[in-house]
Amino acid sequence: MENNWLTENTMQQLYCDMCQKFLADRLVEGTCPNKVCNASARGDQCETCSTLLNPTELIDPKCKVCKNTPRIRDTDHLFLELPLLRDKLVNYINETSVAGLWSQNAIQATNAWLKEGLKPRCITRDLKWGVPVPHEKYKDKVFYVWFDAPIGYVSITASYTPEWEKWWKNPDNVELFQFMGKDNVPFHTIMFPSTLLGTGEKWTMMKTISVTEYLNYEAGKFSKSKGIGVFGNDAKDTNIPPEVWRYYLLMNRPEVSDTLFTWADLQAKLNSELLNNLGNFINRVLSFIAKEAGAGYDSVVPDAPNAGEHTLTKILAEKTSKWVEQYLDAMEKVKLKQGLKSAMGISSDGNAYLQESQFWKLYKEDPAACAIVMKTSVGLVYLLACLLSPFMPSFSDEVLRQLNLSPEENLSLSEEKGEIAKAKSPWDFVPAGHRIGKPAPLFKELKDEDVALHREKYAGSQAERSSKAAADAEANKVANQLKGTKLSDGGTKKGPKKQSGGSKSKTADADITVAKLDIRVGLIRKAEKHPDADSLYVEEIDVGEDTPRTVVSGLVKFIPLEEMQNRKVCVLCNLKPVAMRGIKSHAMVLARARRGRSWPPSCTVTVSSWRATKMCPSQPRLESARSRQ
Ligand SMILES: [Zn+2]
Ligand SMILES: [Zn+2]
């Protein structure tokens, strides 16, 4: 604040006295101020006429939580004075975006902010959750998440090691690369650099930013908040190995435009690229070397003098070194997809090389040539393990294990050590006489039926999936309970008394169907709190009999008492009466989960003539009874 990079400003915000807090925009509801619209709207936007709103503009605003009318209250906030830092910031952006090869989408998003004109940005919020502002006057406020999150990069390092300044205050020797989706760009190219520049200290600032567009899911959009798509825990549940996920997502990385995740595409890439190209090449080479003498090399890499003079091998070596150059160039520019493709090119060429050489014939006809092909190929296997390790570390570890090499023997590809030049003679990577490990298949085919299963399982949103799972579990539970519950024989009873007497049929346990459930629409004549239980209501429900039945329901947490009065509900009438906290319940009020949510339930009935009492589900499935409620 001393150097004026931070200023204080008073804003007007709605405050709810009942909830004792300032209300976030979306927690205010009221009427749209747009005269021709007048629809009910949220504090940030009217969804009817699409007008962006300030919550103080709403007519008759209400707190969404408690329905109380909030009042306008002044609140002071801290602002980052971006306009004052403009020159320093523009310098940084112009220099670094060129030197750091920023991706085009990062440059665009940054320029869009600059073009709009830099405004002071509010960095505090009236929220309970967050990092508290370390200042007496602002101790009840927290920092805006995009002010404090990038500081977290530094503070996380500092809590890891006292030597954190070696990385974060060492711009001459440290290059900082950051990766993110396009919606987070301005916080890393404008907000955080401004924070650092404002301190006047010598920080390591971001050099390269690699920004992706969006990855869409099947026909729609991935959405973490809506739960649409496949997420980390789902990916684990599929039993598809991590290296396959990593390969597919990186090969499909939305570097310049949006890309699409589809199960069919995942299957195609796994089966044709990983299994038939990469896995096949490595397995063919290692299996042949592992064969016993007479058919192979007894697991020992053969010697192959003058490999560089073997025509086919010479051509392969030239291609390989070109791929390695392309790989390095792409990786330097953070074009990860191109890097991965270059590595896979080596594998494709390797397969073609094996095929053309007809090594299985050479083994008997020209053993020297066969040894050259095998020694060169095993070198490619090693090279592939090294080049692919940033993409699929678990895969590389496994290949090195099968090669009987330790993970530390991973090639560093440093120019100084001449390791790049080694790609020109791939037969030299693994020395003659080296004993390899035991070869094993590296990838497993993904079958059509599995793809169909995954596609169906991960359709819709996570909430729908979990409420479906919960509904299935609930249905099973109810079915199991019913098996253990003695049902009376259906039919309309004259009065509640007789209800308890009808539990004669033991065979009901065996052939239980929904048709046996006596579900009726009843009218709650009166409802009150149970005198001895906080969670229970006691209702008098008219189910078309001489006298109303007394029913006890555990709905206090979910449905307000006034909404229970005079309400039509579905009632299961042929359960054995049970006493709940001293009051005998002669039926059960049925409730269902709302769409897309498992909780809270509702028990609204839309049947207009409630006197048409007994409901007869046409299908003998519990599910159909549920959906009728
Ligand atoms: Zn409107
Ligand atoms: Zn409130």
Side-chain angles (χ1 to χ4, degrees):
M1 262 190 252
E2 290 78 32
N3 54 18
N4 291 326
W5 301 137
L6 276 184
T7 51
E8 291 179 85
N9 237 316
T10 304
M11 294 170 80
Q12 292 194 321
Q13 222 179 321
L14 290 174
Y15 184 87
C16 176
D17 287 312
M18 289 283 279
C19 299
Q20 294 199 338
K21 64 175 186 183
F22 284 100
L23 298 175
D25 295 356
R26 67 199 153 70
L27 286 184
V28 188
E29 287 174 331
T31 305
C32 175
N34 181 352
K35 289 258 165 10
V36 290
C37 172
N38 264 321
S40 65
R42 264 185 357 192
D44 51 351
Q45 188 179 13
C46 171
E47 298 206 333
T48 310
C49 68
S50 299
T51 309
L52 289 177
L53 296 171
N54 201 325
T56 49
E57 298 168 338
L58 282 177
I59 299 165
D60 194 21
K62 293 268 186 275
C63 166
K64 192 175 173 181
V65 178
C66 71
K67 311 291 176 208
N68 202 44
T69 303
R71 64 191 168 90
I72 293 176
R73 213 173 111 171
D74 285 349
T75 170
D76 288 342
H77 281 289
L78 290 173
F79 287 75
L80 200 59
E81 282 296 335
L82 293 182
L84 295 177
L85 288 158
R86 190 187 154 88
D87 291 349
K88 286 184 180 190
L89 184 65
V90 169
N91 260 345
Y92 159 76
I93 291 169
N94 288 344
E95 276 176 25
T96 319
S97 61
V98 177
L101 299 165
W102 288 11
S103 54
Q104 204 50 43
N105 42 12
I107 295 173
Q108 273 163 8
T110 305
N111 285 341
W113 262 46
L114 290 176
K115 220 173 126 195
E116 262 181 40
L118 290 174
K119 293 171 207 119
R121 297 288 298 195
C122 181
I123 58 163
T124 47
R125 291 288 185 273
D126 286 300
L127 296 171
K128 298 270 177 247
W129 194 91
V131 176
V133 180
H135 189 285
E136 186 53 31
K137 183 178 170 191
Y138 294 98
K139 64 181 180 1
D140 291 334
K141 296 173 196 282
V142 298
F143 280 120
Y144 170 49
V145 62
W146 277 117
F147 176 73
D148 73 50
I151 295 174
Y153 303 145
V154 183
S155 64
I156 288 164
T157 316
S159 64
Y160 167 67
T161 167
E163 297 184 278
W164 61 275
E165 292 190 353
K166 271 190 180 172
W167 284 272
W168 287 102
K169 290 203 150 179
N170 191 2
D172 300 329
N173 297 303
V174 175
E175 292 180 3
L176 174 60
F177 284 64
Q178 296 195 299
F179 297 81
M180 67 199 67
K182 64 178 166 188
D183 42 347
N184 291 339
V185 170
F187 308 114
H188 293 83
T189 59
I190 291 183
M191 284 273 284
F192 191 47
S194 301
T195 308
L196 293 176
L197 290 169
T199 65
E201 293 170 28
K202 201 176 170 190
W203 292 95
T204 301
M205 295 179 58
M206 182 183 67
K207 181 190 170 202
T208 298
I209 181 170
S210 174
V211 173
T212 48
E213 303 290 312
Y214 296 131
L215 175 69
N216 293 318
Y217 182 68
E218 293 282 342
K221 282 183 177 159
F222 265 101
S223 166
K224 186 72 210 170
S225 55
K226 290 182 191 153
I228 291 173
V230 198
F231 300 95
N233 50 337
D234 300 330
K236 208 173 153 226
D237 291 344
T238 60
N239 285 326
I240 296 172
E243 57 269 23
V244 175
W245 283 105
R246 292 176 65 109
Y247 177 83
Y248 178 64
L249 291 173
L250 286 160
M251 205 44 129
N252 211 5
R253 188 171 182 253
E255 288 179 355
V256 288
S257 58
D258 290 359
T259 57
L260 191 61
F261 176 107
T262 68
W263 287 100
D265 191 31
L266 172 75
Q267 178 193 29
K269 288 208 163 68
L270 165 55
N271 292 351
S272 69
E273 297 173 18
L274 288 178
L275 183 68
N276 289 343
N277 176 0
L278 183 63
N280 182 49
F281 172 69
I282 294 172
N283 198 249
R284 232 175 143 187
V285 174
L286 298 187
S287 299
F288 193 74
I289 293 175
K291 278 187 191 167
E292 55 196 40
Y297 297 93
D298 237 346
S299 296
V300 177
V301 175
D303 197 9
N306 307 322
E309 286 154 32
H310 182 252
T311 314
L312 210 53
T313 303
K314 215 167 91 187
I315 297 169
L316 176 81
E318 277 162 20
K319 283 188 188 167
T320 304
S321 93
K322 283 223 174 69
W323 282 127
V324 172
E325 270 172 41
Q326 275 190 30
Y327 171 92
L328 287 171
D329 184 56
M331 296 300 270
E332 278 300 322
K333 292 178 180 154
V334 204
K335 292 184 172 166
L336 303 183
K337 206 168 12 181
Q338 190 51 50
L340 183 53
K341 281 182 180 162
S342 305
M344 291 300 285
I346 293 175
S347 174
S348 303
D349 284 350
N351 271 319
Y353 172 67
L354 287 183
Q355 209 53 31
E356 259 178 90
S357 71
Q358 305 209 332
F359 65 93
W360 57 95
K361 283 189 192 163
L362 293 180
Y363 186 74
K364 289 267 152 64
E365 294 165 9
D366 186 353
C370 187
I372 289 173
V373 172
M374 278 303 127
K375 190 161 190 277
T376 305
S377 298
V378 82
L380 291 191
V381 170
Y382 169 74
L383 182 63
L384 282 167
C386 299
L387 298 185
L388 289 169
S389 74
F391 300 95
M392 301 185 281
S394 51
F395 158 85
S396 294
D397 287 352
E398 173 60 19
V399 174
L400 289 174
R401 199 190 60 73
Q402 293 188 17
L403 279 170
N404 190 26
L405 293 168
S406 75
E408 288 77 52
E409 289 173 83
N410 208 325
L411 197 64
S412 68
L413 286 174
S414 96
E415 243 167 307
E416 292 93 64
K417 289 191 208 156
E419 279 164 325
I420 297 171
K422 276 191 188 169
K424 288 185 178 138
S425 46
W427 49 85
D428 283 338
F429 279 127
V430 183
H434 174 77
R435 177 170 288 278
I436 64 164
K438 195 167 174 281
L442 291 155
F443 298 101
K444 228 176 84 193
E445 186 188 358
L446 188 58
K447 299 235 162 59
D448 288 346
E449 54 265 35
D450 293 327
V451 170
L453 224 64
H454 292 319
R455 194 188 291 119
E456 195 202 352
K457 185 169 176 195
Y458 298 107
S461 73
Q462 276 185 320
E464 280 163 10
R465 298 198 294 255
S466 68
S467 69
K468 183 178 176 291
D472 290 348
E474 187 62 24
N476 280 335
K477 209 172 104 192
V478 171
N480 286 334
Q481 275 174 1
L482 286 174
K483 276 182 193 164
T485 306
K486 289 172 179 168
L487 281 184
S488 59
D489 235 345
T492 310
K493 297 289 179 221
K494 287 276 151 57
K497 285 274 161 58
K498 287 189 178 171
Q499 191 64 28
S500 55
S503 57
K504 54 196 166 201
S505 165
K506 271 226 158 173
T507 56
D509 290 4
D511 60 341
I512 194 126
T513 70
V514 154
K516 286 229 162 73
L517 302 179
D518 178 11
I519 299 174
R520 304 182 211 171
V521 177
L523 180 69
I524 301 178
R525 294 285 188 203
K526 194 176 105 189
E528 58 193 16
K529 292 281 286 287
H530 191 298
D532 297 317
D534 287 344
S535 63
L536 300 177
Y537 287 133
V538 180
E539 306 105 34
E540 295 293 319
I541 305 183
D542 186 343
V543 289
E545 297 163 346
D546 302 343
T547 48
R549 292 196 191 191
T550 301
V551 178
V552 181
S553 316
L555 290 169
V556 171
K557 264 191 281 177
F558 309 109
I559 299 164
L561 185 59
E562 60 273 19
E563 285 181 27
M564 293 292 285
Q565 312 290 357
N566 275 314
R567 183 176 194 152
K568 289 168 204 162
V569 289
C570 284
V571 186
L572 181 57
C573 291
N574 55 341
L575 282 172
K576 185 182 173 190
V578 279
M580 294 170 89
R581 287 285 178 109
I583 297 180
K584 211 162 209 185
S585 179
H586 295 274
M588 182 194 274
V589 172
L590 301 177
R592 70 168 168 87
R594 288 181 193 160
R595 180 177 296 279
R597 272 181 273 171
S598 55
W599 222 237
S602 99
C603 58
T604 305
V605 168
T606 47
V607 182
S608 52
S609 163
W610 66 273
R611 284 215 174 263
T613 57
K614 193 178 171 191
M615 298 170 77
C616 292
S618 55
Q619 288 171 338
R621 288 184 58 227
L622 197 57
E623 194 58 37
S624 65
R626 296 174 64 86
S627 61
R628 270 165 178 260
Q629 292 162 33

